[in-house]
């Protein structure tokens, strides 16, 4: 990626995230043009040095960042606009199919299109903690002002897929922690006391991922640590304990049900990552 910290940037959409994006570009020294349906939302940015485009058409061109509510809003706003000479970077949340459809549409309009996902909250934009995922053509401009930028590949749907995969990890970990917290609260253990132990467990599990990934990619799951049928017995304890404590047992029951299906399919002697087979099949 070429280091062009003075590349002119346009930001379309000035919600909390769009405003944070525009402000980060301004702070980094990029000439920044902004546009929003409600022009007053640009006042603070204009006071900081941004140029307010009078129309959406005046905002398009060069590197244009779009951050709206959804992909439908992007298509509705840009309509049949000609985008020749525009590199359109869509940082609007959506799914991979929408990303690919929007890429095809934008290219017909003459744009060079990149799709992106923001793995951050507005207040972290402009810091290393803000992760920005991009997919599509390799960018020839610098978006480092926003945070840690990762280009994932030419497929415009990859950023959205990574985004959803990351959210799956986030909510799964949080839900598991909440399950454990609810169980321990019945014994008078508060969440703050349990959190350091839970964090240690989560970090230890994360260390397993490279080895488990190798098994998945090779399609071979030797029980080097524990067989799935052994794990399932521990899962049964998790269900039984939750029920005995009067705690919601839906999550542990789901975990055990998936393991039981894999065991019934003949995978009981293999290691836990063999459950990828359950995740790959369509739901009932």
């Amino acid at each position: 990626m070429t280091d062009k910290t003075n590349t002119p940037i346009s930001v379309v959409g000035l919600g909390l995230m769009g405003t944070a994006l525009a402000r980060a570009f301004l702070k980094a020294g990029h000439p920044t043009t902004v546009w929003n349906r409600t022009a007053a939302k640009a006042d603070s940015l204009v006071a900081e040095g941004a140029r307010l485009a009078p129309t959406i058409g005046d905002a398009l061109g060069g590197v244009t960042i779009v951050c709206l509510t959804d992909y439908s809003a992007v298509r509705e706003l840009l309509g049949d606009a000609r985008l020749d000479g525009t590199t359109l970077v869509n940082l609007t949340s959506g799914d991979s199919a929408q990303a690919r459809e929007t890429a095809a549409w934008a290219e017909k309009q003459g744009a060079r299109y990149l799709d992106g996902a923001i793995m951050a909250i507005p207040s972290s934009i402009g810091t290393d903690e803000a992760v920005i995922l991009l997919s599509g053509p390799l960018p020839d401009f610098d978006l480092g002002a926003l945070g840690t930028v990762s280009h994932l590949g030419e497929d415009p749907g990859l950023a959205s897929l990574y985004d959803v995969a990351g959210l799956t990890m986030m909510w799964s970990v949080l839900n598991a922690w909440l399950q454990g917290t609810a169980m321990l609260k019945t014994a008078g253990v508060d969440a703050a006391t349990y959190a350091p132990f839970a964090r240690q467990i989560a970090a230890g599990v994360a260390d397993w991922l490279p080895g488990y990934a190798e098994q998945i990619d090779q399609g071979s799951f030797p029980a080097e640590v524990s067989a799935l049928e052994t794990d399932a017995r521990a899962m049964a304890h998790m269900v039984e304990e939750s029920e005995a404590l009067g705690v919601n047992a839906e999550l542990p029951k789901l975990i055990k049900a998936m393991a039981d299906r894999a065991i019934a399919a003949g995978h009981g002697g293999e290691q836990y990552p063999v459950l990828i087979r359950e995740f790959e099949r369509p739901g009932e």
Side-chain angles (χ1 to χ4, degrees), residues 103 107 112-114 134-139 151-158:
E107 288 162 6
R112 187 169 183 264
Y113 180 88
L114 286 93
L134 293 178
S135 54
L138 189 66
H151 182 258
L152 303 172
E154 295 287 324
D155 176 359
L158 279 176

Side-chain angles (χ1 to χ4, degrees), residues 23 40 45 48 71 76 103 154 166 170 183 185 191 206 223 259 278:
R23 183 163 285 123
L45 293 168
E48 295 170 34
Y71 281 73
E76 179 184 352
E154 295 287 324
M170 179 183 74
M183 295 170 73
K185 281 183 68 178
E278 290 298 311

Side-chain angles (χ1 to χ4, degrees), residues 2 26 70 101 118 217 236:
T2 303
L26 283 169
D70 53 38
E101 290 167 2
I118 302 171
D217 290 341

